[in-house]
Amino acid sequence: MKYTQLGRAGLKVSRLVLGTMNFGPQTDEATSHGIMDAALDAGLNFVDTANVYGWGENKGRTEEIIGSWFAKGGGRRDKTVLATKVFGNMAAHGDAWPNHDRLSAVNIRRAVEASLKRLQTDYIDLYQFHHIDRPTPFEEIWQAIEVLIKQGKILYAGSSNFPGYKIAQANEIAGRHGGMGLISEQCLYNLAERRAEMEVIPAARDYGLGVIPWSPLHGGLLGGVLKKDAEGKRRRDGRSASALENTKVREQVQAYEDLLDKHGLEPGETALAWLLTRPGVTGPIVGPRTQAQLDSALRAVELELSEELLASLDEIFPGPGPSPEAFAW
């Protein structure tokens, strides 16, 4: 497994991130534990989750599955860089109780204690703000985070789904108060969705944040969806089903699959490998439901893409171009 540094922090992480969103809703506890063991054995040390994963009445279930895995011992916790998130409403049955969501100091304090209990650990390596909270000032957010850092309950803070200007604002305010600020941004970024290249990734790079792309296969669209459809193997849900109704998107995906077939490459592995060539990217989040999906993702780390192939991929899925020169004013 290849490793890199997470932004400007001294944290060394694998170039793939094990996403756990499917643990609980689609993958049972025993299978989830097997996937985490296999990932750790392969050197994948970066695990990402969120307090709301499990969803609905099962919110928190994913963190519980990770916690029971840590409880098995064997150095699992010490070998793992653990990331979770705060923002979503965690009140029972989804009741919208005041102060049970967002980024107020009181909810951050409540949420981190609950996550630590579910995760069966005494600290979180990377505590991420799942979304921006416009009404709550960053002065309050950072004050709460600094208390948790001093208590040893979290080590670093990161963002998720932040626009570029919020990354800048968060770090400027943290800097004025002597804090380290954000060290990472988790954003939607893949071959078919490259808008992050306009502002989010430039802001992240300027402020020394590592970029952690989520949905690297764009809801399955980049995972060989047309070939699977022809073979009767495609799942009929997710973003890919509706996206393929767009003629232009279908043509792009067909050209993508044809190109990779010509080179003897797997679409999903190529999409992950492409992200690993992008400036500023720490590693994409993969969310395997099965051991076979994990094995495929691990192969992508060793895949080398030629300059000719990268140029062809740019032709099929052109990005917005360099910023700010390519902005449409």
Side-chain angles (χ1 to χ4, degrees):
M1 174 61 66
K2 297 177 181 178
Y3 296 89
T4 188
Q5 195 161 312
L6 184 56
R8 67 187 185 283
L11 202 59
K12 298 295 191 300
V13 295
S14 51
R15 295 226 63 196
L16 280 183
V17 184
L18 182 64
T20 60
M21 187 183 293
N22 292 316
F23 293 176
Q26 298 188 43
T27 306
D28 63 29
E29 183 168 336
T31 304
S32 300
H33 285 187
I35 290 172
M36 286 188 281
D37 279 334
L40 198 59
D41 287 344
L44 198 165
N45 73 335
F46 197 179
V47 175
D48 176 75
T49 190
N51 59 354
V52 293
Y53 289 173
W55 312 111
E57 295 184 357
N58 294 312
K59 287 179 294 188
R61 178 60 184 143
T62 303
E63 286 188 332
E64 290 175 348
I65 288 173
I66 296 171
S68 62
W69 180 68
F70 286 151
K72 289 182 175 182
R76 287 174 172 84
R77 178 63 188 97
D78 289 340
K79 296 173 184 176
T80 300
V81 175
L82 174 64
T84 192
K85 308 182 193 76
V86 57
F87 185 90
N89 189 290
M90 293 296 290
H93 309 299
D95 295 335
W97 289 98
N99 302 314
H100 276 75
D101 63 358
R102 309 183 77 88
L103 302 179
S104 68
V106 67
N107 187 55
I108 287 174
R109 177 177 177 176
R110 175 188 292 115
V112 78
E113 295 292 349
S115 284
L116 289 170
K117 183 177 180 180
R118 287 188 293 265
L119 290 163
Q120 298 193 49
T121 186
D122 56 3
Y123 73 100
I124 294 162
D125 297 278
L126 178 62
Y127 201 49
Q128 301 162 109
F129 311 133
H130 210 158
H131 301 281
I132 61 172
D133 182 4
R134 290 184 176 87
T136 303
F138 273 111
E139 287 83 357
E140 176 179 345
I141 294 169
W142 287 128
Q143 184 181 59
I145 291 299
E146 287 303 316
V147 169
L148 296 177
I149 290 174
K150 288 175 183 177
Q151 292 174 339
K153 293 178 180 178
I154 69 171
L155 303 184
Y156 303 96
S159 58
S160 177
N161 303 305
F162 271 34
Y165 84 97
K166 279 294 181 182
I167 291 172
Q169 184 183 59
N171 273 30
E172 289 295 330
I173 292 174
R176 288 203 294 268
H177 291 82
M180 188 172 191
L182 303 170
I183 68 159
S184 63
E185 160 60 16
Q186 191 175 129
C187 60
L188 174 61
Y189 183 39
N190 55 59
L191 259 171
E193 175 49 81
R194 297 177 60 173
R195 284 177 291 180
E197 294 175 2
M198 296 182 71
E199 292 188 27
V200 175
I201 293 175
R205 294 184 71 193
D206 280 355
Y207 282 95
L209 278 64
V211 175
I212 308 170
W214 61 266
S215 195
L217 305 188
H218 206 50
L221 199 70
L222 301 172
V225 64
L226 294 179
K227 182 178 180 181
K228 291 176 183 177
D229 201 23
E231 296 173 350
K233 297 180 181 179
R234 177 163 67 93
R235 296 170 68 213
R236 296 289 173 173
D237 56 2
R239 276 196 300 271
S240 61
S242 58
L244 287 172
E245 295 175 5
N246 183 301
T247 301
K248 181 181 178 182
V249 170
R250 178 175 282 272
E251 289 175 350
Q252 285 178 305
V253 173
Q254 186 66 67
Y256 174 67
E257 294 189 17
D258 289 345
L259 172 67
L260 300 187
D261 188 55
K262 174 181 152 184
H263 286 267
L265 296 171
E266 290 295 323
E269 293 171 17
T270 303
L272 291 173
W274 177 83
L275 279 168
L276 291 171
T277 70
R278 305 308 298 165
V281 168
T282 297
I285 298 174
V286 296
R289 298 186 303 276
T290 65
Q291 179 66 46
Q293 290 177 344
L294 174 63
D295 292 341
S296 176
L298 291 170
R299 288 193 293 271
V301 180
E302 306 302 326
L303 188 60
E304 298 289 340
L305 305 182
S306 68
E307 291 299 322
E308 176 190 1
L309 180 60
L310 290 171
S312 297
L313 292 172
D314 271 339
E315 289 178 6
I316 296 171
F317 296 109
S323 61
E325 294 84 358
F327 279 15
W329 297 100

